Amino acid sequence: VINARPKLVNVPTDKPTSLMRFEKLFPKSFVVDVIIPEMNKRLQVQTDWGEFLVFVGAWFLLATSEGAKRHDYWSSLDVSPFVGAPFRLNAFMARDRFDNLLSSLVFTNDKPPSYKDPFFPIEQLVCAWNKNMSQEFSPGWVTCLDESMSPWYSQFSCPGFMFVPRKPWPFGNEWHTIACGISKVLFQVELVQGKDFPKEKPEPEFNSLGKTVGLLLRLTRSIELAKKGVFASALIKKRRYWPKFIPGDAIKTHSSAFEVGHADALGGTLDGIDFDVFTMREPDYTMMLMSTYGTTTRLGDEKIRCWFQGDEKLVKTFQYPEVVHNHFQYRHIVDDHNAKRHSPISLEMSWATKWWPNRVFAFLLAITKINVYNCKEFIFRKQLLLQHNLDSTKATNCVQSCKIKNFSGRRSSIPCPNTPVFPAKRNAGPFLLLSWNTQMKHLLRSSLYESGIVCQSCKMNSA
């Protein structure tokens, strides 16, 4: 259905809070039933969901600044604009308690297999995250499947370590990810295990149909293929994995006789499935898309192509055909999500851990943080906030908002009587400001309510 819109399932209100969206998009039941009980086995003082949220919110705050050591955020010294951390977390969680929670993290309660499986510590967590997203989020009519990188620099401590030179973060784990093209919510992930995949381990589901087909079926499972029907489009190039029986050279020769912008289609059938190879003439090549849907109907704005023929400059304007238009419109969705996750400060890199499962947890946590914002912006249609209000600072916000005139100017702050001062991060970019306000403030406020450590006066002020 072309007009199908993305949605969160069973949301009790049209304007859910950040905490409600976080609990929808992160597997709360898995945390409560698996992670917290396993942590409690290693802790002298038991923890619960409310304290776990404060722990997560503290990591979100730590990812808003860089350059300081982690223990500096619990320093007893006054905040300095020149050295140390730009804010303190003492009022919300003791440093020893934070370290104890961090060292007790475990992401599985399953019995280890009889063979060596380096991916065992995180598989239950990843499966729970995928299952939760399939239950709580319904994507729109168009999705994009692409790769995402989770940074890690030592191949000896990272199962499935990859080096992908074309990526901004070339070292680490490569993940197959799929995102909704309308809401930009990333809703399924799968780790590329590569040569570290155990020989004794069963092959992934649907791999008997081919690795690419199996990957597509696994990642699109939540779209309910049988009920809705799914059509696909893929860019094809004369490289290693050129589709069999597609006469690429003949198509290029045919297309070269037409002007720039000319679109055509060549029909065919493969394994009983009808498809078309859509072509569009570019100045120096022919673009080809293999698709099971679409027509050559022109859509979208006028596009311009400029090129030289000898000394003469030629210009051509035209609209893209439907399949090409959708390709350019939605091909960057996963890349945009990755850019927000890594910029300006990456939660994964702020969590400077040497235990690889923690990096996977931080990866899923960072994805969820971006998903929470994207749901707010693209599903619930709330206006993007790029500026802070000086008078909105309250103890229940956990983070003091800062009033600014521009991104490079100095910021002044007025502290709430019940909270410490949180100086703003220097050289903060627009998305950092967005993260500071919309991602952490409401999440930590609700977290402190649930854990029962917010003072009554601030509760009354926030009403």
Side-chain angles (χ1 to χ4, degrees):
V1 182
I2 293 297
N3 293 323
R5 302 293 302 179
K7 62 180 180 179
L8 291 181
V9 181
N10 299 324
V11 177
T13 175
D14 292 335
K15 296 181 179 180
T17 64
S18 295
L19 179 62
M20 292 170 59
R21 295 196 302 270
F22 181 83
E23 290 182 336
K24 277 286 184 180
L25 299 174
F26 199 76
K28 177 182 178 180
S29 60
F30 177 78
V31 174
V32 173
D33 297 337
V34 177
I35 295 181
I36 290 178
E38 291 299 315
M39 291 175 66
N40 286 334
K41 294 178 182 179
R42 297 160 174 80
L43 291 170
Q44 293 182 351
V45 180
Q46 305 290 280
T47 188
D48 55 20
W49 172 246
E51 187 179 40
F52 187 85
L53 279 179
V54 178
F55 173 75
V56 169
W59 275 116
F60 285 163
L61 276 171
L62 291 174
T64 62
S65 63
E66 58 185 356
K69 298 179 180 179
R70 194 168 69 208
H71 62 75
D72 289 340
Y73 294 91
W74 281 271
S75 174
S76 59
L77 301 177
D78 293 336
V79 173
S80 168
F82 306 105
V83 295
F87 55 86
R88 301 289 184 265
L89 295 173
N90 298 305
F92 311 114
M93 181 176 288
R95 191 184 79 180
D96 289 344
R97 182 59 174 173
F98 183 89
D99 291 340
N100 289 337
L101 293 176
L102 179 59
S103 63
S104 67
L105 281 175
V106 178
F107 307 111
T108 182
N109 61 359
D110 287 343
K111 184 179 179 180
S114 57
Y115 53 87
K116 183 179 180 181
D117 184 1
F119 304 100
F120 168 76
I122 55 92
E123 284 186 335
Q124 192 178 2
L125 169 66
V126 175
C127 289
W129 192 90
N130 285 333
K131 181 179 179 181
N132 178 75
M133 289 299 296
S134 65
Q135 293 174 345
E136 301 294 346
F137 176 74
S138 178
W141 66 272
V142 58
T143 58
C144 175
L145 191 152
D146 207 342
E147 301 94 5
S148 300
M149 293 296 294
S150 177
W152 192 272
Y153 292 115
S154 174
Q155 61 177 321
F156 303 106
S157 57
C158 177
F161 181 86
M162 296 282 180
F163 172 58
V164 188
R166 68 180 183 275
K167 295 293 184 180
W169 299 81
F171 300 98
N173 286 121
E174 183 180 20
W175 294 77
H176 292 304
T177 53
I178 186 170
C180 170
I182 307 301
S183 64
K184 302 184 180 181
V185 170
L186 199 153
F187 60 91
Q188 291 290 300
V189 300
E190 182 176 297
L191 177 62
V192 180
Q193 300 186 11
K195 296 181 179 179
D196 292 332
F197 185 87
K199 296 181 180 179
E200 302 86 352
K201 194 174 183 178
E203 283 289 322
E205 190 178 6
F206 304 121
N207 257 25
S208 59
L209 303 174
K211 292 185 178 180
T212 302
V213 174
L215 173 67
L216 290 170
L217 289 175
R218 290 191 297 274
L219 292 187
T220 58
R221 193 197 310 269
S222 63
I223 306 178
E224 299 180 324
L225 303 181
K227 293 183 180 180
K228 299 182 180 179
V230 174
F231 300 94
S233 172
L235 183 68
I236 57 176
K237 301 178 181 179
K238 268 290 189 179
R239 293 183 180 175
R240 180 179 178 184
Y241 297 105
W242 177 258
K244 195 175 182 180
F245 307 121
I246 302 297
D249 293 333
I251 292 175
K252 289 181 179 180
T253 302
H254 170 79
S255 180
S256 62
F258 296 93
E259 62 180 357
V260 171
H262 172 79
D264 211 336
L266 174 66
T269 303
L270 182 62
D271 295 334
I273 304 297
D274 294 332
F275 71 91
D276 291 281
V277 177
F278 290 91
T279 67
M280 189 184 75
R281 183 81 171 94
E282 294 279 5
D284 52 352
Y285 69 96
T286 298
M287 181 180 184
M288 285 180 273
L289 287 158
M290 190 173 179
S291 177
T292 57
Y293 82 98
T295 66
T296 55
T297 304
R298 304 284 179 161
L299 297 176
D301 299 331
E302 292 279 342
K303 307 299 178 181
I304 301 177
R305 294 292 188 272
C306 301
W307 72 100
F308 285 91
Q309 189 171 345
D311 295 333
E312 182 182 3
K313 181 180 180 180
L314 303 178
V315 179
K316 176 70 175 180
T317 60
F318 58 92
Q319 290 177 293
Y320 289 147
E322 179 185 8
V323 177
V324 178
H325 167 78
N326 289 340
H327 170 76
F328 284 114
Q329 182 79 9
Y330 301 109
R331 66 174 181 172
H332 53 80
I333 297 301
V334 173
D335 291 335
D336 290 349
H337 195 286
N338 293 336
K340 285 184 177 180
R341 179 167 56 88
H342 287 304
S343 179
I345 301 174
S346 169
L347 172 62
E348 298 152 84
M349 298 305 292
S350 297
W351 193 327
T353 180
K354 295 183 179 180
W355 190 48
W356 176 72
N358 277 351
R359 179 55 51 87
V360 176
F361 180 69
F363 171 73
L364 296 177
L365 202 59
I367 289 177
T368 303
K369 185 184 77 168
I370 305 304
N371 283 346
V372 167
Y373 164 70
N374 285 342
C375 279
K376 169 181 176 288
E377 175 64 11
F378 299 105
I379 294 182
F380 300 104
R381 299 297 183 186
K382 291 185 177 180
Q383 184 180 4
L384 179 65
L385 298 178
L386 292 177
Q387 195 168 6
H388 292 265
N389 295 320
L390 183 64
D391 56 357
S392 67
T393 305
K394 298 177 182 178
T396 54
N397 290 349
C398 297
V399 182
Q400 180 179 0
S401 299
C402 303
K403 185 177 181 181
I404 61 171
K405 294 184 178 180
N406 53 61
F407 293 138
S408 60
R410 295 182 64 85
R411 309 168 204 181
S412 60
S413 59
I414 298 179
C416 171
N418 302 303
T419 50
V421 175
F422 285 86
K425 174 69 177 70
R426 296 176 294 275
N427 299 325
F431 188 73
L432 178 54
L433 298 178
L434 177 68
S435 297
W436 192 286
N437 191 40
T438 62
Q439 301 302 327
M440 275 82 69
K441 184 175 63 176
H442 302 297
L443 175 60
L444 282 178
R445 176 182 59 192
S446 303
S447 304
L448 295 176
Y449 279 164
E450 189 160 342
S451 60
I453 60 175
V454 177
C455 64
Q456 292 297 321
S457 61
C458 289
K459 277 189 177 181
M460 290 186 292
N461 290 337
S462 65

